[in-house]
Amino acid sequence: QVQLVESGGGLVQAGGSLRLSCAASANIFSINSMGWYRQAPGKQRHLVATIFSGGITNYADSVKGRFTISRDIAKNTMYLQMNNLKPEDTAVYYCNAWKSPNNYWGQGTQVTVSS
């Protein structure tokens, strides 16, 4: 069982920055992959960024060059640094962990970007 707790969401103006954190209850080095998803009102949840156990990362095209996913293994915490935020980034952001064979989700944190 892995519990995930997100923090760091909030209200920011377009062009601003936020850093999201996801604290895991397990040793994240033992987790196959972790990622950030987001869900805007009335829309499906979409993958934003992933970091695999070996450290490889990938990003949705819409956030490449603006968002950076990282992790601190000693703190069992994953981060999402979001720069140059746009109104279309407004959504609830969810932390995800895949620790085979189970998939875990955090409760979500709201990010609102005003124009």
Side-chain angles (χ1 to χ4, degrees), residues 85-107:
L85 282 159
K86 303 176 181 181
E88 52 263 43
D89 295 318
T90 295
V92 177
Y93 284 70
Y94 295 91
C95 174
N96 172 268
W98 168 252
K99 183 174 170 59
S100 184
N102 300 307
N103 203 27
Y104 301 94
W105 293 94
Q107 81 286 354

Side-chain angles (χ1 to χ4, degrees), residues 58-100:
N58 75 314
Y59 298 90
D61 287 343
S62 59
V63 306
K64 282 181 181 176
R66 300 188 297 123
F67 290 11
T68 303
I69 189 171
S70 63
R71 62 185 181 178
D72 186 329
I73 294 173
K75 295 182 178 180
N76 290 327
T77 301
M78 176 181 66
Y79 303 98
L80 185 69
Q81 178 66 43
M82 305 185 293
N83 297 328
N84 190 22
L85 282 159
K86 303 176 181 181
E88 52 263 43
D89 295 318
T90 295
V92 177
Y93 284 70
Y94 295 91
C95 174
N96 172 268
W98 168 252
K99 183 174 170 59
S100 184

Side-chain angles (χ1 to χ4, degrees), residues 18-65:
L18 283 174
R19 188 177 80 156
L20 305 183
S21 299
C22 172
S25 62
N27 185 337
I28 63 172
F29 196 72
S30 69
I31 296 174
N32 302 88
S33 68
M34 296 186 72
W36 291 96
Y37 287 72
R38 67 186 182 187
Q39 186 169 18
K43 297 188 177 181
Q44 291 185 328
R45 192 174 297 188
H46 291 288
L47 177 66
V48 175
T50 305
I51 185 164
F52 295 92
S53 59
I56 294 174
T57 60
N58 75 314
Y59 298 90
D61 287 343
S62 59
V63 306
K64 282 181 181 176

